[in-house]
């Protein structure tokens, strides 16, 4: 089955700096990779996603890159703000299901 | 966008009782819904896939007789935790998608505490 790894598990950055979270997956058949942001006690919210037919996607301060050959994808957040502090989960589709990474707790320090 | 409603948002129950959690797709029909469990500071773990009009598909290690799933309509799936025990205390969350293969929308989650 699919296995998704995610690093780092925790990340602290100064406000205004960039943050990068990396994920790897094992199933070469996976072709859809969403990223979710989960604030404490709340539901995960989809923030960006990428399909296997593109290598990069950007939405304002958030971007995602995908390397299908190496089976890894990354989330990039630029000009971080305190409200970016949350747990971020990457995921890869596996059939009609999704397998989630273990999460990265991002802390943006003012 | 797709909206998924989940109720209740939190529930406290006594050991041995059963709790029902509802997941509704408000503005779309969902042939398939997913149920996850999330323990504190951990990732989302898929429990089962709920298919409208047929039996749910459970992940390995999830007891189907303990976690009853019913998907009687295209907009409603229910998860019933039967004979709940303290170790069942967790955050249960459902998800659904307007289109298969796209980013799924999560319900607001249900925090279950069994005392």
């Amino acid at each position: 089955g699919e296995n998704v790894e995610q690093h780092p598990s925790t990340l602290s950055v100064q406000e205004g700096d960039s943050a990068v979270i990396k994920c790897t997956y094992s199933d070469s058949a996976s072709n859809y990779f969403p990223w979710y942001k989960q604030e404490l006690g709340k539901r995960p919210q989809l923030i960006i996603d990428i399909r296997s037919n593109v290598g990069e996607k950007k939405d304002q301060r958030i971007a995602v890159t995908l390397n299908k050959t190496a089976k890894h994808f990354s989330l990039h957040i630029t000009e971080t703000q305190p409200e970016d502090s949350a747990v971020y989960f990457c995921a890869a589709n596996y059939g009609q299901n999704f397998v989630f990474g273990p999460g990265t707790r991002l802390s943006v320090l003012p | 966008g797709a909206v998924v409603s989940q109720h209740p948002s939190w529930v406290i129950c006594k050991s041995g009782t059963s709790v029902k959690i509802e997941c509704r797709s408000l503005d779309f029909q969902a042939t398939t819904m997913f149920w996850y469990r999330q323990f504190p500071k951990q990732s989302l773990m898929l429990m089962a896939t709920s298919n409208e009009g047929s039996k749910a598909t459970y992940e390995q290690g999830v007891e189907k007789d303990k976690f009853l799933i019913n998907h009687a309509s295209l907009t409603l799936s229910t998860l019933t935790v039967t004979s709940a025990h303290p170790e069942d205390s967790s955050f249960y969350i459902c998800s659904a998608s307007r289109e298969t293969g796209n980013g799924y929308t999560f319900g607001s989650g249900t925090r279950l505490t069994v005392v």
Side-chain angles (χ1 to χ4, degrees):
Chain A
E2 176 69 283
N3 181 49
V4 177
E5 296 184 356
Q6 184 172 346
H7 299 281
S9 57
T10 60
L11 177 61
S12 293
V13 298
Q14 289 294 134
E15 182 177 357
D17 288 350
S18 296
V20 180
I21 303 171
K22 298 181 179 181
C23 286
T24 61
Y25 62 99
S26 60
D27 190 345
S28 57
S30 295
N31 58 8
Y32 178 69
F33 309 91
W35 284 88
Y36 289 88
K37 174 185 180 182
Q38 186 178 29
E39 297 179 3
L40 188 63
K42 296 186 178 180
R43 79 183 83 186
Q45 299 271 12
L46 178 68
I47 56 172
I48 197 167
D49 55 13
I50 191 168
R51 295 192 179 278
S52 59
N53 57 347
V54 298
E56 184 174 359
K57 183 177 179 180
K58 190 173 182 179
D59 182 5
Q60 299 182 337
R61 297 187 296 109
I62 296 174
V64 57
T65 58
L66 171 65
N67 184 325
K68 266 193 77 72
T69 303
K71 296 200 194 71
H72 64 71
F73 55 112
S74 300
L75 177 71
H76 304 254
I77 305 174
T78 59
E79 300 174 30
T80 53
Q81 301 167 3
E83 51 265 38
D84 294 330
S85 296
V87 178
Y88 291 81
F89 294 100
C90 62
N93 67 328
Y94 180 64
Q96 62 174 349
N97 298 329
F98 286 90
V99 177
F100 289 84
T104 296
R105 183 171 300 278
L106 173 65
S107 299
V108 179
L109 309 175
Chain B
V3 179
V4 177
S5 173
Q6 186 173 341
H7 294 280
S9 56
W10 61 271
V11 59
I12 301 173
C13 70
K14 291 184 178 181
S15 288
T17 61
S18 296
V19 173
K20 179 185 283 188
I21 303 169
E22 293 189 348
C23 181
R24 294 181 185 270
S25 55
L26 297 186
D27 55 352
F28 66 101
Q29 294 182 331
T31 305
T32 303
M33 291 184 177
F34 300 91
W35 287 96
Y36 295 85
R37 181 166 52 187
Q38 186 178 32
F39 290 108
K41 298 184 179 181
Q42 294 188 24
S43 189
L44 297 137
M45 299 302 296
L46 180 66
M47 297 175 66
T49 302
S50 172
N51 302 297
E52 186 270 335
S54 64
K55 292 182 178 180
T57 303
Y58 290 82
E59 295 300 300
Q60 191 173 8
V62 178
E63 300 175 57
K64 61 182 66 178
D65 293 331
K66 180 171 183 62
F67 299 99
L68 301 179
I69 291 173
N70 184 284
H71 195 153
S73 77
L74 286 170
T75 59
L76 173 65
S77 175
T78 61
L79 168 68
T80 301
V81 183
T82 62
S83 186
H85 291 285
E87 56 265 31
D88 297 325
S89 298
S90 185
F91 190 60
Y92 293 87
I93 191 164
C94 67
S95 73
S97 176
R98 187 190 299 272
E99 299 174 15
T100 301
N102 281 341
Y104 284 72
T105 300
F106 284 90
S108 54
T110 298
R111 187 162 302 284
L112 171 64
T113 301
V114 184
V115 298

